[in-house]
Amino acid sequence: MLPLGKIPPEKLKELVFNRLGAPGERVIAKSDLGVDATAIDFGSSVLVASTDPITGAEERIGFYAVHINANDVATFGAKPKWFLVSILLPENADDALLAKIMDELHESASKLGVAIVGGHTEVTPGLDRPIVVGTMLGEVSKEKLVTSNGAKPGDAIILTKWAGLEGTAIIASERSAELEKAFGKEFVEKAQSLIEMISVVEDALTANEVGVNAMHDPTEGGVANGLHEMADAAKLGFRVYAERIPIRKETLKICEFYDLNPLALISSGALMIAAPKEKADSIISALKRNGINASVIGEFLEDKESRVMVENGREKPLERPESDELWKVV
């Protein structure tokens, strides 16, 4: 049986990437491991497109759908502009549920300057919760296009914000009652509020102005899986340092409470950037001027088999998560 969450890389190679229809015309970035979106040549500009479902959360599902898809488009250096959405509702759905989801979609898209230009809505047999599937389109000039596979050996790995942001907020919302008993209402509300940091559009566009080689939005499987996906795309290895990876105290406490690995917890809101080491300080300074914290957590290596984390002075392999830690508690 396949595990919950993203399909494992070996299964994607076996069952998905060899069944992609006709050769694409003007396709700059093709489907591959670790590739967040696609880029299509439109002459002086490039159309960037990405699609993702929201399946692990019910609260604020429209909010997630817009931002998760916008993030993937932004990792290519493109400004998100147009959004299509399919809304699948469970059989017990009423008008209020659909109106709530549409309000969330409308508000989130409006804040990003994104137009909702189409989609599909239905009540679907067999569902116990709504599912929202989004497709975001964006645009970027050719000279500013960034692709997921652009990391180079020796590049610094920069992480913005904190690992496990999205997972922390989702767990705090879905398991609020028991977390309030353990840590108090103020703690839970603070953890829930981390969802407001989920967008990496400003992170990505700011870093791209300075100059980057690749960017990636670590979603399912968290920072650990994001590192592997970014390395997969560029056919590289990596070395990261555990003490340099920023993790909020709310994330650490919730992960300890449920015995979760924060580095394998869904991390939308953080952004991974591969950049020449000489540009790392300028990128971090530009991000901080916009109120976005960022840290160099490691570097990419030429040896694609070497994927390690240094912890307490010892180097050990950083295993690829089999599934996201979120699935253990929601």
Side-chain angles (χ1 to χ4, degrees):
M1 291 179 62
L2 293 170
L4 289 173
K6 285 185 175 180
I7 301 299
E10 64 275 11
K11 290 296 181 182
L12 289 173
K13 291 177 182 178
E14 177 189 348
L15 303 172
V16 177
F17 293 142
N18 57 355
R19 295 171 168 88
L20 297 178
E25 294 182 11
R26 307 195 310 253
V27 176
I28 298 171
K30 297 181 179 180
S31 296
D32 203 351
L33 293 177
V35 178
D36 292 320
T38 187
I40 302 170
D41 189 345
F42 270 75
S44 61
S45 65
V46 176
L47 179 71
V48 177
S50 180
T51 186
D52 256 318
I54 305 302
T55 56
E58 186 169 353
E59 288 298 314
R60 304 190 73 181
I61 191 170
F63 170 91
Y64 286 112
V66 171
H67 286 294
I68 297 307
N69 284 284
N71 284 352
D72 283 345
V73 166
T75 64
F76 274 49
K79 179 173 174 51
K81 291 187 175 181
W82 307 283
F83 189 58
L84 295 98
V85 60
S86 290
I87 302 170
L88 308 180
L89 301 170
E91 290 180 82
N92 62 350
D94 57 17
D95 289 7
L97 176 60
L98 179 56
K100 179 176 180 289
I101 293 171
M102 287 306 308
D103 284 343
E104 293 167 359
L105 291 166
H106 171 70
E107 181 181 355
S108 301
S110 297
K111 285 183 177 178
L112 289 178
V114 168
I116 299 174
V117 295
H120 175 80
T121 311
E122 70 170 56
V123 174
T124 306
L127 296 184
D128 62 0
R129 64 168 75 186
I131 291 176
V132 176
V133 185
T135 298
M136 186 68 74
L137 306 175
E139 191 174 26
V140 63
S141 62
K142 278 187 178 178
E143 60 269 19
K144 283 294 184 182
L145 176 68
V146 179
T147 55
S148 300
N149 60 2
K152 304 290 191 297
D155 274 357
I157 304 173
I158 300 169
L159 184 70
T160 72
K161 302 193 186 90
W162 298 272
L165 274 179
E166 183 185 3
T168 302
I170 291 174
I171 295 169
S173 295
E174 299 284 335
R175 307 294 288 268
S176 59
E178 61 190 20
L179 287 172
E180 282 186 16
K181 288 181 181 178
F183 302 112
K185 186 174 182 179
E186 184 178 349
F187 172 90
V188 172
E189 289 177 347
K190 182 66 174 178
Q192 291 171 342
S193 74
L194 298 181
I195 200 61
E196 302 303 330
M197 301 182 188
I198 198 173
S199 176
V200 299
V201 173
E202 186 176 11
D203 312 38
L205 299 184
T206 298
N208 197 32
E209 282 301 310
V210 179
V212 304
N213 286 334
M215 296 186 285
H216 184 56
D217 174 31
T219 53
E220 281 194 48
V223 166
N225 195 53
L227 286 163
H228 280 283
E229 290 179 333
M230 210 168 181
D232 287 342
K235 297 177 173 56
L236 295 175
F238 57 78
R239 180 186 296 111
V240 293
Y241 300 84
E243 68 274 10
R244 298 185 190 176
I245 300 173
I247 307 174
R248 291 184 66 99
K249 64 179 181 181
E250 295 88 358
T251 303
L252 290 171
K253 286 187 175 183
I254 287 174
C255 286
E256 184 179 1
F257 186 75
Y258 290 111
D259 192 24
L260 307 177
N261 176 5
L263 297 186
L265 182 63
I266 188 166
S267 293
S268 298
L271 177 69
M272 284 180 189
I273 301 165
K277 286 186 175 178
E278 62 271 18
K279 288 189 175 183
D281 287 344
S282 297
I283 291 169
I284 289 172
S285 296
L287 289 164
K288 287 185 176 179
R289 283 195 297 272
N290 287 330
I292 302 166
N293 70 289
S295 308
V296 174
I297 64 169
E299 59 273 336
F300 283 105
L301 307 174
E302 190 163 5
D303 180 5
K304 66 181 181 180
E305 302 301 323
S306 182
R307 299 184 177 187
V308 298
M309 182 167 69
V310 179
E311 189 170 12
N312 297 323
R314 294 187 176 183
E315 190 173 278
K316 62 180 183 180
L318 181 61
E319 301 296 333
R320 188 193 301 265
E322 291 186 6
S323 64
D324 197 282
E325 295 289 87
L326 182 70
W327 296 111
K328 295 179 180 179
V329 292
V330 301

